[in-house]
Amino acid sequence: MSITYIGLIVISISLIIFVVVPRYLVPWAIAVSVLQAASVFNVSGAFPIGVSPYFFVTLLICLRFLPLWLSGQLGFGRDESVCLYVRPLLLMVVWGVLSATVLPVLFSGALVDSPRGGMDAASAIPLQWTWSNVAQAGYLILNFVFIIYMLWQSVDKIQIERCIAAFRWSGAFAAAVGAYQLVAHLTGLPYPASFFNSNLAWAQLTDQSIGDAWRVSATFTEPSAAGAYFAMWTTLLLFSALGGERVTWSDYFLLVSGIVMLALTTSAAGYLVGATVLVLLFGKQMLDLLVRGVIGRRILFIFVIVVSALMAGLMLLPNFRHVLHEVIWQKSQSSSGRDREATAFHALYLGFETVGLGVGLGSNRPSGLLFYILSNMGIPGLLL
């Protein structure tokens, strides 16, 4: 086992928070979640293991969660509205763990896309129970504990504000890393890839291009993951700017940064999410204009900022029209696109072959969340 440089920092700060100010564990977990490609420590071997900063902090949260839960101090009343969401979530976790344990044995021998293989190459293997099933079940349990612990603390308004601030500024950190990554690529300055991309268990796709554009991945394993994150982060910033009582120039600056970073990832999924948000926002404002006959000044100002930031981000891409054509139209026709499409169709086949049960959590790796859930956790997973 080897502790990484980023692990030394994260472990030290996490232990201090755990002992001195445990109420900051949830915001800290949110803050370090942007370090997706990093690991606090790695275990090499036939089945490499890398523990990300987020899951390390979540393990510490479990150490706080278990005594509180066992002593009856942590829980929700039957009449609390939160139980409407917690119960299905608990059922999903139970089914996920059960599927990871039983279904790989039940459907042993079925061809699946290797959980640790790439989606850009033929990597179908006979299904068998592996440590990937254990790992994915463990991640599911840790995420469940994190959500329950966060919901339990959400009665404190200050804690909610801490979590929002952690998400906001961790995204700013990821955007700053992405900006420097691009500058380093263009100028030849050193970029500490071994620091931010230290997880042995993940494929690190940090040097990708599309068209004539080099794709930014920031603190994530690949540009697509970075694009999905920046789309989500920018959406939060956008609605905060629209609904906040006091919007500062730093809010607008972060919004611009997120949009520019989203453009530079050239992520089709990120572009789709961003476009959907903009269409819905524009539709809502047009509806308000028809009903009320007026659009607020702040809305117009934010709209100008969003469009300007989007144009600035696209202008930073060399020959951005060609890049957009590649992202929107040609990507699905590439060998990578065809391979990903093939994994999606195979996921549908596995759902049919297993009579809607799936092959077990952590057994198959298709492209797309819904296809992942269907092929691994079946129809019960989709319903939950």
Side-chain angles (χ1 to χ4, degrees), residues 278-294:
L278 288 179
V279 169
L280 292 175
L281 178 62
F282 181 77
K284 181 180 182 302
Q285 298 312 314
M286 289 300 100
L287 182 62
D288 287 346
L289 179 61
L290 293 174
V291 173
R292 302 177 184 177
V294 64

Side-chain angles (χ1 to χ4, degrees), residues 86-283:
V86 171
R87 287 168 185 154
L89 190 61
L90 177 60
L91 287 175
M92 186 185 73
V93 172
V94 171
W95 171 245
V97 174
L98 183 65
S99 72
T101 306
V102 176
L103 296 183
V105 178
L106 182 62
F107 298 109
S108 177
L111 289 180
V112 296
D113 292 302
S114 174
R116 293 210 161 195
M119 285 181 283
D120 298 329
S123 56
I125 59 173
L127 173 63
Q128 59 179 345
W129 185 89
T130 67
W131 286 106
S132 290
N133 300 107
V134 177
Q136 294 303 313
Y139 292 151
L140 185 63
I141 293 172
L142 288 175
N143 282 324
F144 176 74
V145 170
F146 173 79
I147 292 172
I148 297 300
Y149 194 75
M150 182 175 63
L151 289 174
W152 179 66
Q153 291 189 333
S154 64
V155 294
D156 184 358
K157 184 178 179 180
I158 296 177
Q159 182 71 350
I160 296 176
E161 292 175 352
R162 291 192 192 109
C163 293
I164 294 174
F167 184 66
R168 179 192 301 266
W169 293 108
S170 62
F173 174 79
V177 173
Y180 177 75
Q181 183 186 36
L182 179 62
V183 171
H185 173 74
L186 295 175
T187 63
L189 289 172
Y191 176 76
S194 60
F195 183 80
F196 290 113
N197 302 86
S198 56
N199 198 318
L200 291 180
W202 288 93
Q204 305 287 351
L205 307 176
T206 59
D207 193 20
Q208 292 188 330
S209 299
I210 186 168
D212 298 322
W214 187 80
R215 308 178 68 189
V216 169
S217 59
T219 57
F220 300 88
T221 54
E222 59 178 338
S224 295
Y229 174 83
F230 284 124
M232 180 177 60
W233 183 62
T234 303
T235 299
L236 172 72
L237 295 173
L238 177 60
F239 284 100
S240 296
L242 289 170
E245 296 180 1
R246 297 171 56 187
V247 183
T248 65
W249 284 105
S250 65
D251 296 319
Y252 292 127
F253 176 76
L254 293 180
L255 178 60
V256 170
S257 301
I259 294 172
V260 171
M261 282 297 110
L262 173 58
L264 293 176
T265 63
T266 65
S267 166
Y271 284 8
L272 177 61
V273 172
T276 302
V277 171
L278 288 179
V279 169
L280 292 175
L281 178 62
F282 181 77

Side-chain angles (χ1 to χ4, degrees), residues 16-134:
I16 292 173
I17 293 174
F18 177 78
V19 175
V20 181
V21 280
R23 63 183 177 276
Y24 284 95
L25 277 174
V26 169
W28 178 237
I30 294 173
V32 299
S33 65
V34 297
L35 301 172
Q36 184 215 18
S39 175
V40 294
F41 63 83
N42 291 309
V43 179
S44 58
F47 188 87
I49 298 173
V51 177
S52 69
Y54 164 76
F55 282 114
F56 176 79
V57 179
T58 307
L59 284 170
L60 296 181
I61 290 175
C62 284
L63 296 180
R64 287 284 178 182
F65 172 87
L66 286 174
L68 292 170
W69 178 61
L70 292 174
S71 64
Q73 299 179 54
L74 192 156
F76 305 101
R78 294 184 178 180
D79 57 341
E80 292 188 53
S81 59
V82 71
C83 291
L84 295 174
Y85 307 98
V86 171
R87 287 168 185 154
L89 190 61
L90 177 60
L91 287 175
M92 186 185 73
V93 172
V94 171
W95 171 245
V97 174
L98 183 65
S99 72
T101 306
V102 176
L103 296 183
V105 178
L106 182 62
F107 298 109
S108 177
L111 289 180
V112 296
D113 292 302
S114 174
R116 293 210 161 195
M119 285 181 283
D120 298 329
S123 56
I125 59 173
L127 173 63
Q128 59 179 345
W129 185 89
T130 67
W131 286 106
S132 290
N133 300 107
V134 177

Side-chain angles (χ1 to χ4, degrees), residues 36 110-128 130 132-133 136 200-205 208 221-225 336 338-348 350-351 358-377:
Q36 184 215 18
L111 289 180
V112 296
D113 292 302
S114 174
R116 293 210 161 195
M119 285 181 283
D120 298 329
S123 56
I125 59 173
L127 173 63
Q128 59 179 345
T130 67
S132 290
N133 300 107
Q136 294 303 313
L200 291 180
W202 288 93
Q204 305 287 351
L205 307 176
Q208 292 188 330
T221 54
E222 59 178 338
S224 295
S336 173
R338 289 193 294 270
D339 285 339
R340 290 172 183 268
E341 184 179 348
T343 64
F345 278 111
H346 187 62
L348 291 174
L350 286 175
V359 289
L361 183 62
S363 297
N364 187 54
R365 188 192 180 190
S367 176
L369 177 61
L370 292 179
F371 296 108
Y372 179 88
I373 295 174
L374 174 64
S375 62
N376 285 283
M377 299 175 64

